[in-house]
Amino acid sequence: MKLQGALTAMITPMKADGSVDYEGFRSNVKFQLEQGIDGLVPLGTTAETPTLDERPGEEEDKIIAIVMEEVKAFESKTGKHVPVILGAGSNNTRDAVSYCERAKKSGADAALVVTPYYNKPSKEGIYQHFAAVSKVGIPIVVYNIQGRTGVNIPTDTLARIAELPNIVGVKEASGNINQMMEVIATIKSKKPDFAVLSGDDGLTLPLISVGGDGIISVVSNLAPAIVTEMAHKALDGDFEAARKIHYRLLPFFKAAFVDGNPSSIKYAMNVKKMPSGPCRLPLVEVTDSAKKVIEDALKQCNL
């Protein structure tokens, strides 16, 4: 499995009463597949996973069932397989292992496992956490996002983790392009199939230009075809065309996070009449000033 291009960190649409809009989610999955997205990432940060019911047969299981059903139907119809990477992170290693086992059982292609948050583990603790999930037997994408977890995975620790079985890549959301280049120079140079994916839409083009593989994108919830085209142009070496798309989308790259994620992208999707709805507490609707920024960016970017 080669993880490359544009993969969408999917939102979880809600109804006005705060319940999950399952048919809206199904519609969004179909939209992504029809628009040519390279992969789907449900149950991540953008999905508001900490607020979803994880009990057997409840919200998370229903979301997994829908995405796997739609991807299998799409593959049967087109012959094209679209990888599904299920969010499987926790600050409790036993729970992370359990979520990875669930991902494996569901038929997902990989699991996205975030650095343990709140606990603030040492480098050895981080390594042992990933050693535990790697034993499940499903490909693992490491998710490094210090801004949410309080802990950065330094490159020397990631290099150790990359030597574990089933570790296939990293979603790099540190925002530090120098660290991303270190990862490429020290890990990907030795393991070419190790995927280095951006977690920030605005860094997709810079990362690919220095040898990265693509993006796990928030913006592609709304514009999957355009984000995919930008990633593919860059991967093909057509940086002039990729730059044009990058600068077209740049105002929305900023607007999609102007008042937090996923609050901002969900408001943008509501403006465009896409299944989205409200967020669950502790997230709330974006401010009036943020609404204007998002609306202006949508117009400016012709989205």
Side-chain angles (χ1 to χ4, degrees), residues 105-149:
K105 184 178 179 181
S106 75
D109 296 272
L112 179 69
V113 179
V114 73
T115 319
Y117 43 88
Y118 190 75
N119 312 46
K120 298 188 78 171
S122 66
K123 292 198 290 185
E124 184 61 26
I126 294 170
Y127 174 80
Q128 293 297 339
H129 179 81
F130 283 99
V133 297
S134 74
K135 294 175 183 176
V136 172
I138 185 172
I140 302 290
V141 177
V142 178
Y143 183 10
N144 186 30
I145 181 165
Q146 183 176 6
R148 288 188 181 271
T149 65

Side-chain angles (χ1 to χ4, degrees), residues 217-239:
S217 171
V218 171
V219 168
S220 61
N221 276 281
L222 188 142
I226 303 171
V227 174
T228 301
E229 182 183 6
M230 180 185 71
H232 287 191
K233 292 291 187 185
L235 288 165
D236 290 342
D238 189 351
F239 289 106

Side-chain angles (χ1 to χ4, degrees), residues 213-286:
D213 293 285
I215 174 71
I216 295 181
S217 171
V218 171
V219 168
S220 61
N221 276 281
L222 188 142
I226 303 171
V227 174
T228 301
E229 182 183 6
M230 180 185 71
H232 287 191
K233 292 291 187 185
L235 288 165
D236 290 342
D238 189 351
F239 289 106
E240 182 177 355
R243 273 195 302 272
K244 287 180 180 177
I245 301 171
H246 171 84
Y247 283 111
R248 172 190 168 184
L249 294 179
L250 186 59
F252 193 64
F253 288 159
K254 298 177 181 179
F257 294 87
V258 66
D259 199 15
N261 178 49
S263 305
S264 301
I265 189 65
K266 290 190 90 172
Y267 179 73
M269 293 173 73
N270 282 326
V271 170
K272 300 304 290 185
K273 309 299 183 187
M274 298 175 68
S276 179
C279 293
R280 283 182 175 172
L281 286 172
L283 300 183
V284 295
E285 188 174 55
V286 296

